[in-house]
Amino acid sequence: MATTIWIDGQYYDKANAKISVFDHGLLYGDGVFEGIRVYNRRIFRRDKHLDRLYASAKGAWLEIPLARNAMARLMEEAVAKSGFNDGYIRLIVTRGIGDLGLDPRKCPKASVICIVDEIALYPSDRYEKGLTAISAATPIHHRESVSPRIKSLNYLAHILAKVEGIAAGVDEVIMLDPAGFVAEASGENIFVVTNGIVKTPPVYSGILLGVTREAVLELAREATYAVEEVPLSRYDLYTADEVFLTGTAAEVIGMTKLDARTIGTGVPGPVTKELAKRFKALATRGD
Ligand code: PMP
């Protein structure tokens, strides 16, 4: 089992996997990406991730030089080559090599990178105890600026929020949108459970439309919970019975402290636990 890296038609080992200093992905964060899980050698919701990748590229006026089915084949091949049963795929499309100006027309061909590796986002005890968090002062991008729906290579706002969390000694951060509504965590979507109703911010609020978020919404409906996609304020988080986050890398994880307030009973609640269990089952089944 080994980290496997493909760049524009060729496999490289870690030491030799390099891109140009004139790549606009590096110079300007000009590009898009996906993070995707592999469970039991099967790519979880591959087509949903491809949908989002190609939509992100369209939103960023970026033409991906690989057809969708070729991209799907590449992922399958790289996973097989890696030998990982459970792993993580990072697909990256950069604007490619240009000059030192911004003009994307100077970049004749986008670059495609596919990395297969492993990932562990939080220490394993957090899945039992829950995460601590603060709400960050740094908001997500305005939806009419760089749309948060585009999974772009520019994560500086989320990194600055993460730095605030690190400085405060907590595990995660909750980011608000520019109007002050709850948006998402640094790399996860957010859910609350109040009086048995599972709630999450709506898509039009400008959040990244998480593949895990969608799967968990399906699972919650299947488990006959009432589900609402509604704007949430921090008050809704402070007073919720449960809060949990969803993401490809994080999967489903409870949040038990926010801005020094204990959420619910202070440990991950029954709905969080049930949905985490259902998600594990779904992921290992590979639907
Ligand atoms: N929001 C942000 C900002 C993210 O980076 C991610 C991770 N891709 C998510 C939400 C969760 O999305 P997904 O479930 O597709 O991983």
Side-chain angles (χ1 to χ4, degrees), residues 16-256:
N16 292 304
K18 292 178 179 157
I19 59 154
S20 165
V21 293
F22 288 96
D23 191 307
H24 280 206
L26 174 69
L27 288 172
Y28 300 115
D30 186 357
V32 296
F33 75 102
E34 276 301 313
I36 307 159
R37 280 260 189 189
V38 176
Y39 295 98
N40 295 336
R41 291 178 170 258
R42 296 233 294 275
I43 300 172
F44 183 66
R45 301 222 159 166
R46 186 192 76 184
D47 291 349
K48 296 276 181 193
H49 284 285
L50 285 173
D51 287 347
R52 190 170 65 185
L53 181 73
Y54 281 79
S56 288
K58 185 104 191 250
W61 199 72
L62 176 59
E63 199 178 322
I64 300 181
L66 272 189
R68 235 187 105 105
N69 56 358
M71 188 71 86
R73 272 202 309 277
L74 163 64
M75 283 169 30
E76 300 287 355
E77 181 192 278
V79 168
K81 195 174 160 72
S82 76
F84 288 123
N85 284 327
D86 297 303
Y88 177 84
I89 306 169
R90 177 61 56 93
L91 269 188
I92 307 159
V93 183
T94 77
R95 185 75 63 184
I97 297 169
D99 64 15
L100 293 178
L102 288 178
D103 191 345
R105 294 170 304 181
K106 301 277 177 64
C107 308
K109 194 164 181 238
S111 267
V112 178
I113 300 167
C114 176
I115 306 168
V116 184
D117 205 351
E118 291 177 301
I119 195 160
L121 211 55
Y122 305 114
S124 58
D125 70 326
R126 299 302 195 279
Y127 287 84
E128 278 93 60
K129 290 199 297 208
L131 297 170
T132 58
I134 55 160
S135 44
T138 310
I140 62 163
H141 290 131
H142 190 282
R143 62 178 183 277
E144 296 305 331
S145 174
V146 178
S147 171
R149 301 278 301 271
I150 299 176
K151 199 163 167 55
S152 91
L153 289 181
N154 194 327
Y155 258 55
L156 203 46
H158 292 71
I159 291 165
L160 292 180
K162 186 96 195 156
V163 168
E164 293 180 47
I166 293 164
V170 294
D171 301 313
E172 251 308 331
V173 284
I174 298 305
M175 296 179 75
L176 308 179
D177 69 15
F181 287 107
V182 170
E184 56 195 1
S186 64
E188 297 79 29
N189 292 113
I190 185 160
F191 286 75
V192 305
V193 184
T194 304
N195 298 328
I197 305 173
V198 177
K199 301 180 191 179
T200 195
V203 176
Y204 58 77
S205 62
I207 55 169
L208 186 84
L209 190 49
V211 171
T212 322
R213 173 189 180 279
E214 200 183 354
V216 167
L217 283 172
E218 287 167 21
L219 293 171
R221 290 191 178 105
E222 222 173 85
T224 72
Y225 289 110
V227 171
E228 292 178 2
E229 295 181 59
V230 285
L232 298 170
S233 68
R234 286 192 297 170
Y235 170 83
D236 297 308
L237 271 51
Y238 298 150
T239 58
D241 299 322
E242 303 180 33
V243 174
F244 64 88
L245 305 181
T246 64
T248 294
E251 301 175 307
V252 178
I253 186 162
M255 174 179 289
T256 47

